[in-house]
Amino acid sequence: MPTRLLVTTGLSLMLMTQAANAQSDGNDDRADAAVEERSGLEVITVTAQRREESLQDAAIPLNAASGEDLARAGVVDATQLNKVAPALYVPEAGGANVGYFIRGVGNFANNGYTNPAVAFNLDGVYIGRPSSTVASFLDVNRVEILKGPQGTLYGRNATGGAVNVIPNAPRIGILEGSVSAQYGNYDALEFTGVLNLPVGDRVAARVAGAYSERDGYYSDGTGATEDLALRGQLLFDISPDVDLRLSADYSTQKGTGPGLNIDGVYTFAPFTPTATVPNWQFVAAPDNVREPFTGLHAPQTLAFIHGNATAAPLYSPVEGYAYPARDDEYWGLNAELNVDLGGVDLVVIPAYRRSELNNQFNGAPFKAALNQDVAEQYSVEGRLSGNAGPLEWLVGAYYFDEKVEGVNSYNQFATVSFQDFATSTESIAVFGRASFSVTDDLRLVGGIRYTDENRSIDALSIAVTGVCLIEPPFGSPSCPQVPTVPVGLTLMDSLQQLDPALFPAASPITGPAPYGAFPYGPFGMTGPQALMIISPTPIDRRAGDDEITWRAALEYDVTPDNLLYASFETGFRAGGFNLTFGQEEYAPEYIDAYTIGSKNSFFDNRLQLNAEVFYWKYEGQQLAALGVDDRGNNSFYTRNVGESSIKGAEVDFQFLATDTTLIRGGVQYLDATYDTFVYDQVDLSDAGDPPNFLTPVTGCDYAQNMAPTRSFTIDCSGKPALNAPDWTINLGVQQTFEMRDAELIASVDGRYRSDRVIGFGYLPTGNSGDDLTIDASLSFVPYDRGFTATVFVRNLTNEAMRSLYQVGAANVAGVTLEPPRTYGIRLGYKF
C-alpha cells in the first residue's frame, strides 16, 4: 500500500465512506418502502433485479445510496457518484459530453452516434443519451449502481453495468414539503423545493424544482454553470389492484461547461535519443500555466501555446480559441402502470424523452467544437411476474426507438471536420428470469434475453485541410501569414468569414462546387503559400445485430443473515457508425463476467460486511477516443481494439459502533488490462522521408508498414484500462451528538484512489497520480421541528484531481480537473 495511505490510516478511521448501505430519509411512501427497519442498522430496499428486496438480500454486485446520503456527500449529478460507488467513474469531456466507466469498462459518448457502455436509467427508463443528469438527481429517493454486465434485465449498452436513479413518488393523503437554500464559495447558489399534495382520497401530486448557479472554477471563467430542473408527478390509486403514476420533467444546463488546463505541448523532435516518446519531445507548460484551474483562455496560457505550438499541416500560428458556452434543454414524459392480476403482477412503463444540445467547447483542446443535436427516444417496457410454488419468475418485453439529428464541427486550426447526420436505432427485446428454491436456503437462478437491433445513418462529413506549400531547406514548413480556418458550424459559416482575396485563383465560396484543392493565402515568390483541400465523405449505411445474453447463478443462505452467491453473466454492446473516413463502422463487443460474493450481517445487524471477487473477459472491446482517420485528420471515433481481462475484489462494511457512531468503509482492488489492443494509423510522412520519421504521438509500441501504403500498427497490449486504479478506498465516520432540544450530526468522508491512466495515448504525462480527498459536514437538527442547518466542505485539502488527459490540435496536451475545494452553508425546512 502506498506510504501516503499508511500515514493517513489513523485519520481514515475518522472518515466516512460510500453510502453503499444508505439510511433512508423516510419522507414518502417510496422511502418508507425503501427502508427495512432491523435491529441496529437500516438497510435500503432496492429494485435492481426488477423486484423489491433489501440490499443485503440482493445477490448481485451492487452499491446503493439514499437521497439523504447523496445530499450529505454533495452528489448532485452523475459525475460525483464515485463518492458512493468506488467502481464508478464519470469524467467530463467538454460541453455536454461525459463518459461512464465501471472497473475500466466504459466509453465517452462525445457525439450523437456513439453509445455508452454503462446503462443510465431514470425512474425505470433507459436514457440513450445521458449527457445531462441534473433532473435525475432532483428529489431523489435512491441511486443504485450495478457492477458488471446486465445483459439479462437491462440488455443493450450495459456491458459495464448500470446506474439507476429512482425519484421519490407522490404520497396519497399527505400534505408535506421541503425547501432549502445553499450558498458557497465561487458564489455558488442553490435553491430546491418539494411539495406533496393530496388530491382527494385516491390521487396525489408531487412537484419538485431546483435552481443552481456558480462562477467558474478556472481563472479564465470557465467551469461556470447555471442549471434548472423541474419535475411533476401524479399518482392515481385506481383500485386496490391498479395504480398509475405519471411523471414529466424538464431541465436546462447553461454556462460555459467544464474548463480545461494546459499541461504542455508535444513538439516534433525527429530521431532525438532523449525524446519523451520516439520523435516527440514534451515541452511542459510553465508553472503559472500548469497551476491547477488556470484555464486554457488565461493570457499566459495562450502566450505559451502561441510560442510553442504550430498547426500542422498548415503550420500557421495557433491562436483564436473560441470561448466555450452551453445551452441545453431536456424533456421527459413517462408513466408506470401496476396491475395485480391475481397472483401475477403486471408492470408497464412507456416513456418519451427529447434533448436539444447547443454547445461550443474546446475539448481535446481544439480551436472549437460545436454541437447542435436533437435526440428523441420512445420506449416501452412490459413485465409479468409471479410465484408458482418454489419458482419465482419474471418475463418481459422491451421496445426502444431513438432518432438523433445533428450538425457538428470540430475545428483544429489547420483541419476541420463538418458533420451533418441523422441516425436511427430500433431495438426489440424479450427476456425472462427465474429463481427456483431447491431448499429453503438454496436457490438456482437463470435468465435469458434476446435482442434484435437495427440502425441506420445518413450523413455527410466534410474534411477541410490547410496545407502549407512553403518548405525551407531545413526545418518544418512555415506559413505564418496564412490564417487558420475560422470557427463555424457549417462549411459555409467558416468560409464566409475569410477574405475572398485569400482565394486568388478559385474560390470554394463562389465557385460551382465547394470541393477540391484551392490555392489559399497570400501569394509568395513562387505562387500560393498554401492549399485548402475540401473533401466530402457521404455515409449512408444500414446495419443490425441480434444477440442472446444469459445469466446463471447460485444463491445460498448460510444463515438468515449470511448469503453466499456465485454467478456467470454475458453482455453485449451493439456495433455502430463513425463519421470518420476509413473507419465508418465498428462491430459489437462482448463480455463474460464471473462473480463470487457474500453479504453478511453480524451482532444483531450492527455490522454489515459484504465481499465480492470478480473476473471479466472482454472480446471485441469498443473504445471511443481521439485518433487519426485514413486521411490523416484528427477524429473522435469508436474502434474495436481487441480483448481485455478485468479481475479483482471489493469489500464494503457498515458498523454501528454505538447508537450514535456509524463507521463505514470500502476497498476495491482492480487489475484491468488490455490483453490485445492493436490498431492501425496512417503515416503522414512525405514519400521521401525515412521510415519511422513522422511517428504517432503515443506511449505504446508501434511498427512501421511501408506497403501497400505507409502506416503504423500501434500495439498497446498489456497496458492498463482507462480509469481503472489498482486501489480505491473509502473510509469514514458519522457521529451524532444528542442534546436537549436538537442533535448535531458530524460526518467526515475520505477517499483514496491510486494512480490511473486517464489519457488515450498512454503517454508518460497522461496519468492522474494518486489522490486523497476529505469531505466534512456538520448538521444541526432540532427535534420535532423541520428546520435544519448544515455547513460543509468538500475536497478539504484542495487536491488537484486529474480526470481526463487528451492531446489535441497542434499536439497541445489538455487536462480536465475534478472540482477544487468548495464550502458553504445549507438551510432547510421540512413540513
Side-chain angles (χ1 to χ4, degrees):
M1 294 292 291
T3 301
R4 188 176 183 189
L5 180 62
L6 293 175
V7 172
T8 58
T9 300
L11 175 62
S12 296
L13 292 175
M14 299 176 59
L15 304 180
M16 178 181 174
T17 186
Q18 66 198 59
N21 300 308
Q23 295 176 345
S24 170
D25 59 5
N27 66 343
D28 65 11
D29 282 341
R30 218 168 187 181
D32 292 340
V35 176
E36 176 187 342
E37 185 79 40
R38 296 184 178 180
S39 61
L41 294 165
E42 294 175 327
V43 179
I44 191 170
T45 294
V46 297
T47 53
Q49 299 192 93
R50 307 306 196 199
R51 66 185 183 212
E52 289 192 355
E53 59 187 338
S54 77
L55 181 61
Q56 290 300 101
D57 293 333
I60 56 174
L62 173 68
N63 293 113
S66 72
E68 181 180 276
D69 290 308
L70 294 171
R72 185 180 59 250
V75 177
V76 296
D77 60 40
T79 63
Q80 301 160 28
L81 280 174
N82 181 252
K83 295 182 178 182
V84 298
L88 175 67
Y89 281 79
V90 189
E92 297 178 295
N97 303 312
V98 295
Y100 287 80
F101 292 81
I102 293 180
R103 293 174 175 164
V105 177
N107 209 15
F108 281 94
N110 279 22
N111 47 49
Y113 45 86
T114 302
N115 293 315
V118 176
F120 188 90
N121 304 281
L122 171 60
D123 201 8
V125 177
Y126 169 75
I127 299 179
R129 305 287 146 195
S131 55
S132 172
T133 56
V134 171
S136 307
F137 287 79
L138 174 64
D139 190 26
V140 65
N141 176 269
R142 68 184 182 277
V143 173
E144 304 168 354
I145 298 95
L146 291 77
K147 296 165 287 187
Q150 306 298 319
T152 304
L153 293 180
Y154 293 85
R156 64 189 297 274
N157 301 341
T159 48
V163 177
N164 298 335
V165 183
I166 297 96
N168 287 309
R171 301 181 66 187
I172 290 178
I174 295 177
L175 174 63
E176 63 179 2
S178 66
V179 292
S180 68
Q182 179 176 303
Y183 179 76
N185 59 333
Y186 298 98
D187 277 337
L189 288 169
E190 180 181 310
F191 303 96
T192 63
V194 178
L195 180 62
N196 193 96
L197 288 170
V199 184
D201 295 334
R202 292 184 172 273
V203 181
R206 190 177 185 93
V207 294
Y211 173 81
S212 63
E213 64 179 32
R214 185 197 67 229
D215 292 343
Y217 292 141
Y218 294 76
S219 68
D220 62 359
T222 57
T225 63
E226 182 184 0
D227 300 334
L228 171 70
L230 302 169
R231 177 184 294 117
Q233 299 180 77
L234 287 172
L235 175 62
F236 300 89
D237 187 8
I238 299 172
S239 74
D241 298 325
V242 181
D243 65 71
L244 173 67
R245 183 171 57 88
L246 307 177
S247 179
D249 63 81
Y250 170 78
S251 63
T252 64
Q253 286 197 280
K254 300 183 179 182
T256 66
L260 184 71
N261 240 44
I262 298 304
D263 196 44
V265 178
Y266 276 87
T267 59
F268 189 47
F271 306 115
T272 300
T274 58
T276 309
V277 296
N279 295 338
W280 296 95
Q281 179 64 47
F282 180 69
V283 178
D287 290 344
N288 66 340
V289 173
R290 300 182 78 189
E291 178 72 20
F293 301 101
T294 298
L296 169 64
H297 297 273
Q300 65 268 35
T301 303
L302 298 175
F304 165 74
I305 294 174
H306 187 272
N308 290 274
T310 183
L314 188 56
Y315 294 96
S316 292
V318 177
E319 55 190 18
Y321 285 101
Y323 197 76
R326 184 176 185 184
D327 187 4
D328 303 333
E329 289 187 284
Y330 307 85
W331 297 265
L333 297 170
N334 61 280
E336 181 178 319
L337 174 67
N338 293 278
V339 181
D340 184 348
L341 299 175
V344 175
D345 294 325
L346 169 68
V347 180
V348 180
I349 304 175
Y352 165 79
R353 297 204 66 83
R354 176 184 174 92
S355 64
E356 294 184 5
L357 306 184
N358 185 2
N359 294 300
Q360 179 171 284
F361 58 99
N362 298 112
F366 293 161
K367 186 175 185 179
L370 280 69
N371 293 164
Q372 289 189 8
D373 296 350
V374 176
E376 284 189 306
Q377 72 170 64
Y378 302 86
S379 65
V380 62
E381 180 170 354
R383 301 191 299 267
L384 289 168
S385 60
N387 296 283
L391 180 67
E392 181 180 337
W393 58 269
L394 178 148
V395 295
Y398 178 72
Y399 175 78
F400 176 82
D401 187 319
E402 180 189 57
K403 291 179 172 58
V404 183
E405 296 183 356
V407 180
N408 299 170
S409 73
Y410 300 92
N411 188 309
Q412 302 175 66
F413 297 97
T415 64
V416 186
S417 175
F418 296 100
Q419 302 177 355
D420 189 339
F421 63 89
T423 68
S424 177
T425 301
E426 185 178 51
S427 181
I428 300 173
V430 292
F431 56 91
R433 186 175 176 123
S435 174
F436 182 80
S437 296
V438 180
T439 69
D440 290 343
D441 301 323
L442 179 64
R443 295 173 297 280
L444 299 177
V445 181
I448 192 168
R449 186 184 188 103
Y450 173 74
T451 302
D452 185 10
E453 176 173 308
N454 292 285
R455 56 188 177 273
S456 65
I457 187 169
D458 184 3
L460 176 64
S461 178
I462 301 174
V464 178
T465 305
V467 180
C468 181
L469 300 178
I470 301 175
E471 297 195 27
F474 303 98
S476 300
S478 178
C479 288
Q481 296 179 325
V482 180
T484 59
V485 183
V487 173
L489 181 63
T490 66
L491 174 63
M492 285 303 164
D493 288 343
S494 291
L495 294 179
Q496 289 172 355
Q497 299 178 51
L498 293 170
D499 185 345
L502 293 170
F503 299 100
S507 172
I509 306 173
T510 60
Y515 307 131
F518 301 89
Y520 175 53
F523 262 64
M525 296 292 293
T526 59
Q529 295 188 17
L531 289 177
M532 179 176 286
I533 303 171
I534 305 176
S535 306
T537 302
I539 300 173
D540 185 1
R541 301 203 175 198
R542 306 289 184 272
D545 298 304
D546 63 291
E547 186 67 22
I548 294 175
T549 51
W550 57 279
R551 181 177 194 268
L554 182 68
E555 303 174 6
Y556 179 61
D557 295 324
V558 181
T559 75
D561 295 323
N562 303 95
L563 168 68
L564 291 175
Y565 65 92
S567 67
F568 171 80
E569 186 150 6
T570 67
F572 101 105
R573 181 156 54 129
F577 306 109
N578 295 309
L579 297 188
T580 301
F581 183 76
Q583 303 285 341
E584 288 85 359
E585 288 193 48
Y586 55 92
E589 67 176 13
Y590 304 91
I591 187 171
D592 295 336
Y594 302 83
T595 304
I596 299 175
S598 176
K599 296 190 173 184
N600 305 278
S601 297
F602 301 104
F603 311 124
D604 294 327
N605 198 40
R606 297 185 73 89
L607 171 64
Q608 294 171 358
L609 179 64
N610 303 326
E612 170 203 353
V613 293
F614 53 89
Y615 175 76
W616 303 352
K617 188 66 176 179
Y618 241 130
E619 293 184 0
Q621 185 166 359
Q622 299 169 10
L623 179 65
L626 191 66
V628 178
D629 69 12
D630 286 5
R631 291 194 179 111
N633 299 316
N634 279 349
S635 179
F636 185 90
Y637 61 95
T638 300
R639 54 196 165 206
N640 298 94
V641 297
E643 300 179 357
S644 67
S645 57
I646 300 162
K647 53 185 176 292
E650 183 173 340
V651 177
D652 64 74
F653 72 91
Q654 185 170 225
F655 178 45
L656 191 62
T658 73
D659 290 342
T660 58
T661 305
L662 177 64
I663 302 172
R664 297 184 285 193
V667 179
Q668 176 182 264
Y669 171 73
L670 179 64
D671 179 1
T673 304
Y674 288 114
D675 301 320
T676 305
F677 184 170
V678 181
Y679 61 97
D680 289 331
Q681 179 172 303
V682 67
D683 182 357
L684 299 179
S685 302
D686 293 333
D689 290 334
N692 293 308
F693 180 65
L694 195 57
T695 52
V697 185
T698 180
C700 299
D701 296 331
Y702 57 82
Q704 174 82 71
N705 306 310
M706 301 300 292
T709 59
R710 290 182 63 140
S711 65
F712 293 98
T713 297
I714 301 174
D715 188 350
C716 299
S717 302
K719 299 288 187 180
L722 299 175
N723 298 297
D726 289 347
W727 292 97
T728 303
I729 303 173
N730 291 9
L731 295 171
V733 66
Q734 178 178 308
Q735 179 66 50
T736 301
F737 301 93
E738 297 177 341
M739 301 181 294
R740 178 178 176 180
D741 298 318
E743 62 182 14
L744 286 175
I745 303 175
S747 177
V748 184
D749 297 81
R751 177 182 56 169
Y752 168 80
R753 297 176 294 182
S754 61
D755 186 32
R756 54 205 176 273
V757 177
I758 57 171
F760 302 118
Y762 290 96
L763 294 165
T765 55
N767 279 30
S768 66
D770 61 347
D771 54 64
L772 173 66
T773 58
I774 299 173
D775 299 343
S777 66
L778 181 65
S779 298
F780 176 74
V781 184
Y783 298 132
D784 300 326
R785 299 181 186 179
F787 171 77
T788 60
T790 301
V791 292
F792 62 87
V793 59
R794 294 161 190 150
N795 190 7
L796 176 65
T797 57
N798 204 25
E799 187 92 2
M801 297 171 287
R802 293 152 56 109
S803 61
L804 177 64
Y805 194 93
Q806 298 185 87
V807 176
N811 291 324
V812 176
V815 59
T816 303
L817 300 171
E818 296 184 25
R821 177 173 53 229
T822 58
Y823 52 85
I825 182 171
R826 181 171 61 250
L827 303 176
Y829 181 75
K830 293 183 179 181
F831 60 90

